Amino acid sequence: MINNPIVKFERWWDEVKRFGLKHPGAVCVSTINEQGFPSGRFVDLKDIADDCFIFCTNLDSQKGHDIEKNDRVALTFWWEAIGYQVRIIGHASQISSEAADRYWDTRPRDAQITTHSCQQSKLLISEKLLQVQFEKVKASLEGMEIPRPDNWGGYAVEPIMIEFLTFKASRLHLRERYTIVENEWSKELLQP
Ligand SMILES: Cc1cc2nc3c(=O)[nH]c(=O)nc-3n(C[C@H](O)[C@H](O)[C@H](O)COP(=O)(O)O)c2cc1C
């Protein structure tokens, strides 16, 4: 039996990666907005570091603003190919600029250009303008190493609860919930 949910997650994560999915790291990040509404959107899980789940984004985006006001977030994975769901709740904090630089350097050049050519979550006048802006920025950065913008970074989510669900066709799913109790992970089963 695995008593540490991070170790269990890493095992599932390795299994998922072996499946050759197109977006194995797609995870729904839910934040709470200023009106108290939850707001979910998918991002890519970049890493698991120091027992935290890392994703990267524009810090001035909607999710960035939400986290600034309220660090409580949820992460939800569903890997259909393998029948696993993982639900995490925890506290998000910004990663260091050194760590952000490392993740930035792993991004494809086009993604870096897109980041420079857009203001994520702001209103867009027309779809055409998006391409025009992209081409303009691409030409201006031709032959150069693309620097990380100051407002692109990442968040580390420190979990306080992780639930693993193993999907069963009978709907008798196995639900294993880990919570932090007095600084230790404690495991319970839940009815499906
Ligand atoms: C599979 C998938 C992966 C995505 N990965 C990221 C990501 O890693 N970072 C990011 O900022 N947006 C990512 N997006 C776009 C987000 O879903 C979202 O549109 C964007 O971050 C703006 O969200 P916000 O306005 O709520 O902040 C991804 C979308 C999909 C469908």
Side-chain angles (χ1 to χ4, degrees):
M1 193 178 85
I2 301 172
N3 288 321
N4 185 320
I6 306 289
V7 173
K8 185 174 172 73
F9 184 91
E10 281 171 336
R11 286 195 191 165
W12 275 26
W13 180 231
D14 283 344
E15 208 178 322
V16 166
K17 285 193 278 191
R18 283 200 298 274
F19 259 75
L21 304 177
K22 218 168 165 194
H23 297 287
V27 55
C28 180
V29 177
S30 302
T31 54
I32 309 284
N33 72 16
E34 276 186 88
Q35 289 80 41
F37 284 104
S39 178
R41 81 287 283 158
F42 282 88
V43 298
D44 287 312
L45 178 74
K46 284 270 190 245
D47 207 358
I48 304 154
D50 298 327
D51 291 352
C52 290
F53 297 84
I54 316 284
F55 67 90
C56 290
T57 190
N58 183 313
L59 305 174
D60 293 325
S61 64
Q62 184 59 55
K63 70 184 97 43
H65 286 298
D66 289 352
I67 292 170
E68 209 172 291
K69 295 255 155 52
N70 185 342
D71 71 353
R72 293 173 179 202
V73 301
L75 304 178
T76 313
F77 297 85
W78 164 235
W79 292 298
E80 178 160 13
I82 205 161
Y84 289 165
Q85 173 182 264
V86 181
R87 298 163 66 175
I88 298 168
I89 60 170
H91 297 276
S93 59
Q94 246 184 69
I95 61 172
S96 68
S97 51
E98 292 75 26
D101 283 341
R102 282 199 303 276
Y103 295 122
W104 174 259
D105 290 344
T106 67
R107 302 188 80 209
R109 192 172 173 86
D110 272 1
Q112 294 180 336
I113 294 169
T114 295
T115 300
H116 272 274
S117 63
C118 296
Q119 294 178 291
Q120 193 177 62
S121 314
K122 302 289 182 298
L123 288 179
L124 174 69
I125 292 164
S126 78
E127 192 180 348
K128 191 162 170 258
L129 195 63
L130 208 54
Q131 194 63 35
V132 171
Q133 282 175 190
F134 178 88
E135 296 303 337
K136 214 166 122 190
V137 172
K138 186 174 183 175
S140 72
L141 294 168
E142 185 79 54
M144 285 167 57
E145 196 177 316
I146 305 179
R148 176 178 64 83
D150 288 340
N151 67 352
W152 189 94
Y155 292 98
V157 178
E158 188 176 355
I160 58 164
M161 188 286 297
I162 307 184
E163 183 201 311
F164 298 86
L165 179 148
T166 307
F167 186 88
K168 306 275 171 79
S170 63
R171 305 302 189 259
L172 285 175
H173 316 308
L174 173 63
R175 295 181 65 191
E176 301 162 281
R177 183 176 67 185
Y178 294 75
T179 40
I180 299 257
V181 180
E182 291 171 0
N183 291 324
E184 299 271 345
W185 284 108
S186 157
K187 181 183 166 181
E188 298 155 308
L189 298 180
L190 298 174
Q191 299 193 32

